[in-house]
Amino acid sequence: MHEPYRKDMSDVSWADVYERQRLRAPLSAGWLDGLGLQPGDRVLDIGSGPGFVSVEAARRVGPEGLVYAVDRSAAALAYLEQLQA
């Protein structure tokens, strides 16, 4: 049995959180579809966590676009930065 979800994220790594986000990819795709993102668009992802949705949005807006990922956790943003390296 799994322990309950902890809002402070003290029980998981950012890699684990990213994997949880990845497993919800169909939901994320639906949200991004609803935005109608086009190449060159700019996106602000507030509460991005480790950035799965940010990365998916970046794919949609392409190199001409821009995605700003904002999170209160510097560690989450550092994880996202590593993904993009």
Side-chain angles (χ1 to χ4, degrees):
M1 189 167 139
H2 293 281
E3 288 187 35
Y5 179 76
R6 297 176 75 178
K7 287 180 80 174
D8 68 0
M9 307 300 288
S10 63
D11 61 328
V12 295
S13 70
W14 286 112
D16 293 332
V17 176
Y18 187 89
E19 180 60 17
R20 286 181 184 174
Q21 291 179 341
R22 189 190 67 74
L23 292 172
R24 295 185 192 115
L27 291 173
S28 302
W31 301 331
L32 294 171
D33 289 346
L35 293 174
L37 296 177
Q38 299 294 318
D41 283 349
R42 294 183 180 161
V43 176
L44 177 59
D45 185 2
I46 299 174
S48 64
F52 179 81
V53 175
S54 300
V55 171
E56 292 302 309
R59 286 189 182 118
R60 292 181 183 222
V61 301
E64 309 85 27
L66 189 59
V67 175
Y68 294 94
V70 178
D71 198 275
R72 69 181 184 166
S73 170
L77 296 174
Y79 183 85
L80 175 56
E81 188 172 22
Q82 287 178 333
L83 289 177
Q84 299 309 299

